[in-house]
Amino acid sequence: MKVFFRRIHLYLGLTAGLVITISCLTGALLVFEKELTEAFNHDRYFVEPGGVRLPLDKVAILVKEAVPGAGISRIQVFADPTRTLQVQLEEGKKGGQKEAGAGKEGRKKGTAKAGEKEAAGPKKEKGRTAFINPYTGKIIELYSYQQTFYYQVFSLHRWLLAGAVGKLITGISTLIFFFILVTGIILWWPKTRNIFRQRIKIKWDGNWKRVNNDLHIVLGFYTSIFLFVTVFTGLTWSFEWFNKALYASLGTSPKPLAAPLSAPAVEASGKSISYETAMAVVKHAVPDALFYSFTAPKDSSAAFMVSLLPADALHEAATTTYYLDQFNGSVLTSQTFAQRNLGQKIRGTIKPLHTGAIFGTPSKIFALILALLGAIFPVTGTLMWLNRTRKKKKKVASPVVSKETTAQVA
């Protein structure tokens, strides 16, 4: 059985080793993407506080004037007074915001005609964000994530820069990695105490072959459980069937809270509340949030949605969501991370687990080390296989040489 599992382990490793190495290396680069991006583009994210922050509605008007034809999808405000405002834009659609859909729920359900119009319309530049000085209203930068170095790294990590085909290859390789880990644990399992002692520490004073073997076997054992988590969370993005099976097995749903509808407008004007009014309502309820993200209603029945990250949040995805009546500003419903069902909590935790952001900087450092180790296992494994192959060839060649030598002497 050991021989059988060794062959399976070997063949799977040789099949997917290159893709696994690429995924791990790119994953290592992405761990501190946020911190590095902010460090190298400091002026985009930070400003010198100066006076009173402009009203968000004034900022929205200035952005629309500076970027004609653009709608506003979201405005994000940080508690840190040195942070810039981030305004997510909607561009490239006829009719601006009105054709952007009927709110979050409306876009999901939609009508066939609306879906056809959106697909047939001009393509928009996804992810464009206007970084605004909150004190002057000046646009510091119109930023598109798709044009950055890190987007290329992300694309290589997720789909090998090859679209749907690359995504499938990455997904299959991730699934193979799962079975590599399983067979690796089986092969590691020691028969005696002496072997156990050898397989829990690296013999640094051995020759390079022994050190290489120990790096593969010993570190492979220590990191296997954490790599299982990384692989498992990665599979939820790679395959829809895996994602559905996960939630079905738990008897829960990852679907977000259904957005309530605003009451019909009583006033003749039927005007929606301002961004500042929405901020006042939510800030009264949660005054110490790290950021507030505002999404204005897309039609006359949708609610004004506000997402925020509490100061005591478990992780960066543990947000609280408020839905406000767009006409009177009353809270229709709200949901904290603790109030989500099991499926929603799992969905919100998958990304922080996968990226290592679950416990902040310490877990990110650990995730970086884990990704780098994951990248060396295919290399050390291949070297082990080559060394074993050469050793077998020498054993086979040795008796042949001795017979020829004997014949010559005779």
Side-chain angles (χ1 to χ4, degrees):
M1 290 300 292
K2 285 275 187 177
V3 173
F4 171 75
F5 282 116
R6 185 177 289 113
R7 287 178 179 173
I8 295 297
H9 189 80
L10 169 64
Y11 297 148
L12 292 178
L14 292 175
T15 301
L18 180 59
V19 177
I20 291 170
T21 300
I22 291 173
S23 295
C24 288
L25 288 176
T26 51
L29 287 172
L30 290 168
V31 170
F32 284 101
E33 175 187 0
K34 179 182 176 183
E35 290 79 2
L36 291 174
T37 301
E38 290 180 359
F40 287 111
N41 302 276
H42 186 271
D43 292 342
R44 180 196 298 159
Y45 296 93
F46 299 93
V47 296
E48 286 291 333
V52 182
R53 177 181 60 79
L54 289 177
L56 296 182
D57 301 275
K58 176 64 175 177
V59 171
I61 293 172
L62 292 174
V63 170
K64 288 181 180 180
E65 290 176 351
V67 189
I72 293 178
S73 173
R74 185 179 70 249
I75 298 180
Q76 190 170 22
V77 184
F78 292 86
D80 183 352
T82 66
R83 288 296 301 267
T84 54
L85 296 176
Q86 296 182 21
V87 181
Q88 191 74 30
L89 302 177
E90 289 181 345
E91 301 175 271
K93 289 182 180 180
K94 295 178 181 179
Q97 271 186 300
K98 291 183 180 179
E99 196 177 322
K104 191 172 183 180
E105 291 299 310
R107 285 198 303 274
K108 286 186 176 180
K109 296 178 182 178
T111 61
K113 290 183 179 180
E116 288 171 2
K117 285 181 180 179
E118 187 170 328
K123 292 183 179 180
K124 66 176 181 177
E125 187 174 2
K126 291 184 178 181
R128 281 241 295 189
T129 303
F131 286 82
I132 314 294
N133 186 316
Y135 305 103
T136 66
K138 177 185 177 183
I139 295 180
I140 296 171
E141 183 178 344
L142 280 174
Y143 168 82
S144 175
Y145 180 59
Q146 284 76 14
Q147 304 299 322
T148 65
F149 163 76
Y150 265 115
Y151 179 75
Q152 299 305 313
V153 175
F154 174 76
S155 299
L156 186 59
H157 181 75
R158 286 291 301 275
W159 48 79
L160 300 175
L161 302 176
V165 175
K167 181 182 178 182
L168 180 61
I169 293 172
T170 302
I172 292 173
S173 298
T174 305
L175 192 60
I176 288 174
F177 196 12
F178 177 83
F179 289 105
I180 288 174
L181 291 171
V182 173
T183 53
I185 290 295
I186 294 172
L187 292 173
W188 175 89
W189 205 262
K191 292 182 179 179
T192 66
R193 285 187 178 182
N194 289 334
I195 296 176
F196 172 77
R197 291 179 187 135
Q198 291 174 7
R199 293 184 178 177
I200 60 172
K201 62 181 180 179
I202 299 173
K203 185 177 174 59
W204 293 108
D205 58 348
N207 59 37
W208 75 269
K209 292 181 181 179
R210 173 59 188 271
V211 173
N212 180 77
N213 287 10
D214 285 354
L215 286 173
H216 189 84
I217 297 170
V218 178
L219 294 182
F221 166 70
Y222 286 125
T223 60
S224 58
I225 185 65
F226 304 105
L227 288 172
F228 268 121
V229 173
T230 303
V231 169
F232 191 87
T233 52
L235 285 172
T236 61
W237 291 318
S238 297
F239 298 110
E240 185 63 26
W241 60 265
F242 186 90
N243 192 50
K244 289 180 178 179
L246 169 63
Y247 295 110
S249 65
L250 296 172
T252 187
S253 172
K255 292 182 179 180
L257 177 69
L261 300 178
S262 296
V266 177
E267 298 179 7
S269 61
K271 288 184 179 180
S272 176
I273 61 172
S274 64
Y275 284 104
E276 285 297 321
T277 300
M279 172 172 269
V281 171
V282 179
K283 207 163 186 180
H284 177 75
V286 187
D288 59 346
L290 299 180
F291 68 73
Y292 301 87
S293 184
F294 302 89
T295 302
K298 304 296 183 182
D299 58 31
S300 60
S301 63
F304 206 117
M305 188 176 77
V306 184
S307 295
L308 59 91
L309 184 65
D312 59 349
L314 298 173
H315 50 74
E316 60 185 13
T319 56
T320 295
T321 304
Y322 278 83
Y323 289 97
L324 311 180
D325 187 294
Q326 67 164 295
F327 301 112
N328 58 38
S330 62
V331 178
L332 298 173
T333 188
S334 64
Q335 186 184 51
T336 65
F337 185 78
Q339 291 172 337
R340 299 181 192 179
N341 64 37
L342 179 60
Q344 293 166 348
K345 288 179 180 178
I346 291 173
R347 183 178 183 179
T349 308
I350 281 177
K351 184 178 179 181
L353 268 177
H354 188 81
T355 61
I358 188 73
F359 298 120
T361 302
S363 58
K364 282 192 172 187
I365 294 173
F366 182 81
L368 173 62
I369 296 171
L370 185 67
L372 293 174
L373 288 175
I376 72 166
F377 290 139
V379 178
T380 54
T382 302
L383 289 175
M384 288 173 66
W385 170 65
L386 291 174
N387 291 332
R388 192 176 294 116
T389 303
R390 289 171 184 170
K391 190 176 181 180
K392 287 180 179 179
K393 285 182 179 179
K394 287 181 180 180
K395 284 184 177 180
V396 172
S398 181
V400 175
V401 173
S402 60
K403 286 180 181 179
E404 292 178 352
T405 305
T406 305
Q408 289 175 0
V409 171

